[in-house]
Amino acid sequence: MERRGILLNKAELESLEKEMDQEISFVEKEMFDCIGHEVNINSPKQLADLLFDELQLPYKGKRSTRESVLEMYLGVHPAIEHILKYRELSKLNGTY
């Protein structure tokens, strides 16, 4: 496969990328509507400030925004679900 390559439908891939970008934008907008303002979801500092200062989520020790930590807060605030979905879609979009 490395020597011969594989055939791809470029138009289909571009269409999928456009759909993914739209879904990411939708999830991002939903989160902003949920919290009432925009924030850089890709910034751990801004996200930690939002979650632990503004939304006052409880924490012990370091204020982590890792996926495993955020999963513990599912159901505490609707923004958490949007953040995790945004990360999932962004990773898929960036990887493929």
Side-chain angles (χ1 to χ4, degrees):
M1 188 185 324
E2 286 181 26
R3 283 183 254 142
R4 298 183 98 187
I6 60 171
L7 293 176
L8 293 175
N9 183 335
K10 186 176 178 183
E12 180 68 23
L13 287 176
E14 288 172 348
S15 174
L16 287 172
E17 180 181 29
K18 185 177 178 182
E19 281 181 44
M20 188 70 74
D21 287 340
Q22 289 175 343
E23 192 166 348
I24 289 169
S25 293
F26 176 77
V27 169
E28 192 175 45
K29 183 187 176 314
E30 288 287 308
M31 191 194 110
F32 295 156
D33 289 347
C34 182
I35 62 172
H37 61 86
E38 292 187 11
V39 65
N40 182 354
I41 302 171
N42 297 313
S43 167
K45 166 111 174 67
Q46 287 186 30
L47 203 52
D49 290 346
L50 168 73
L51 296 173
F52 304 111
D53 294 338
E54 187 176 328
L55 300 179
Q56 297 182 344
L57 296 179
Y59 66 95
K60 293 178 182 171
K62 189 177 178 196
R63 302 172 351 153
S64 176
T65 60
R66 286 190 327 237
E67 180 180 353
S68 60
V69 173
L70 292 180
E71 286 175 347
M72 294 187 313
Y73 291 109
L74 278 171
V76 175
H77 194 281
I80 305 297
E81 184 178 342
H82 296 303
I83 292 166
L84 291 170
K85 184 69 173 175
Y86 173 88
R87 285 182 173 178
E88 176 186 353
L89 293 172
S90 293
K91 182 167 178 108
L92 281 172
N93 197 32
T95 303
Y96 303 107

